Amino acid sequence: PSLPEEAGAPPLRWVAETAEDGAAEAAAADSAAPSASGERPAPEAHTAPDDRGTADVAELADALDDASLAAKPKAKGTKTAERTDMREHVNCVFIGHVDAGKSTFCGQMMLSTGQVDERSMQKYEKEAKEKNRESWFLAYIMDTDEEERAKGKTVQVGRAHFETATKRYTILDAPGHKNYVPNMIAGACQADVGVLVISARKGEFETGFERGGQTREHALLAKTLGVRLLVVVINKMDDSTVEWSEERYRECCDKLSPFLRQCGYNLKRDVIFLPISAMKGINVLTRVPADVCPWFQGADDRCFVQVLDSQPPMDRKPDAPLRLPIIDKYRDMGTVIEGKIEQGTLVEGARYVLMPNRTRVVVDSVALDENDVPTAFGGENVKVKLRDISEEDIKPGFVLSDVAHPAPVVRRFEAQVIIVELLEHKSIFSAGYTAVLHCHAIAEECSIVELTAEIDKKTGKRSKKKPMFVKSGGVVTCVIDVEQSICVETFDVCAQLGRFTLRDEGKTIGIGKILKIIDASADEAKKD
């Protein structure tokens, strides 16, 4: 069973409303007009849909006044340079079992695209040699922590950037060890493309794919967390136990395919298999030579970067209300937050609201890859400096939102859940079951209030009678309570804020999507 495709979800309909007044608005309109270079206009304010209730007249006027700030330029002397680079931004998360070669592959990408200078590489090679780990020098590009280098295990999600002629990419190097799955989730929830790294070396593939290996859990989590394309790279093809063997490559692909289909991937549309050697950089930036791999020379056989560049643009919903889940925050001459814009447009100088604490803030500056920009769009990882709030009042999982349409603050909701595999000593999923809910940057304790219906996996029909329990492999709709208020959306409104994972005792037991918000604390706070 799999979650419905995003393309099948009802479109989000917002009634656009301009916020203009006098000469200031005329100037803003001129600056928002598309230029010859293809620059996108500033976003318009929005009015909430009818089914969200009628707000108080004074509060609505205040909200529209706040939204109008998005059209007003910054004070003279502080204006950021106009943005000219409008290439699409894509986030790629590298996942897979420990020792599959993820960090080495990421390091090779940085080296091949010219992001690391020769002097730095000499330093990494010398350091790796001193530790008797000569083959780890590429991984040192991403694994900057001394503990990570000493153990050879990635702990935190590494981040780096590279560019091609048509797109800009952010690399997210996720840890492969099962103890650090929560960190992997934090990286995968930001990603558009998943790169599942598989070791072709005899014994290593089997260890990662068998029960207890992280290959299965990472592939499943990537699908749940919104990864739209999965590039499966069969790494270490140059190993002495493989020697670019087509038989070994096909064996790995054939064993992975049924499981990926079971996770919900469409193998023809969503999955691409590639043979590579991350250590030697073969089939990464340029296609593998015919004398090295004669059987991978068809018209559709491309190298890794060609596969990424050939993907069609993604729908980022630039006109939808802003949703920016916060993944990190710190002080740097002011309060700075980091996160990925899931939908909408972020404008420098505009006023927004931080949910769930409903604090009004002003965006002082927006940075992409350390460069200040006047606007940022859906899919881009940004650093935002905020005014009118302290760093201590922000937590990961908060959502920066439009003032007129804030993200719902929720304690209870109804969801559809696929039970993947329950624990041996907790083999029944029923009312009262407790787990940890992961949704975008949130990790919150939750409990099952009641099961509302069981869903037939073949027909998709809901049962009329409420089930008492379900076991592994079942699909059920249920009501879920969380201990603390969280910011989420229904799946059809904002898919990235409507997906979640249930984990128990360090193991993924279920994946789901939010169907209906039962307790919207934000609406209650408005009425109060």
Side-chain angles (χ1 to χ4, degrees), residues 4-5 29 55 75-76 83 87 100 116 168 183 241-242 325 343 364 369 371 393 395 426 505 524:
E5 295 292 333
K76 188 174 181 180
R83 182 170 175 180
R87 289 175 294 176
V116 185
R168 296 176 293 116
N183 294 349
T241 63
V242 183
Q343 66 177 34
D364 265 351
D369 304 339
N371 298 317
D393 298 327
K395 295 180 180 178
K426 294 173 69 175
E505 297 183 16
E524 291 177 3

Side-chain angles (χ1 to χ4, degrees), residues 507-521:
K507 183 178 179 181
T508 300
I509 60 144
I511 57 177
K513 62 171 186 174
I514 298 173
L515 302 176
K516 182 172 66 173
I517 292 172
I518 298 174
D519 168 30
S521 303

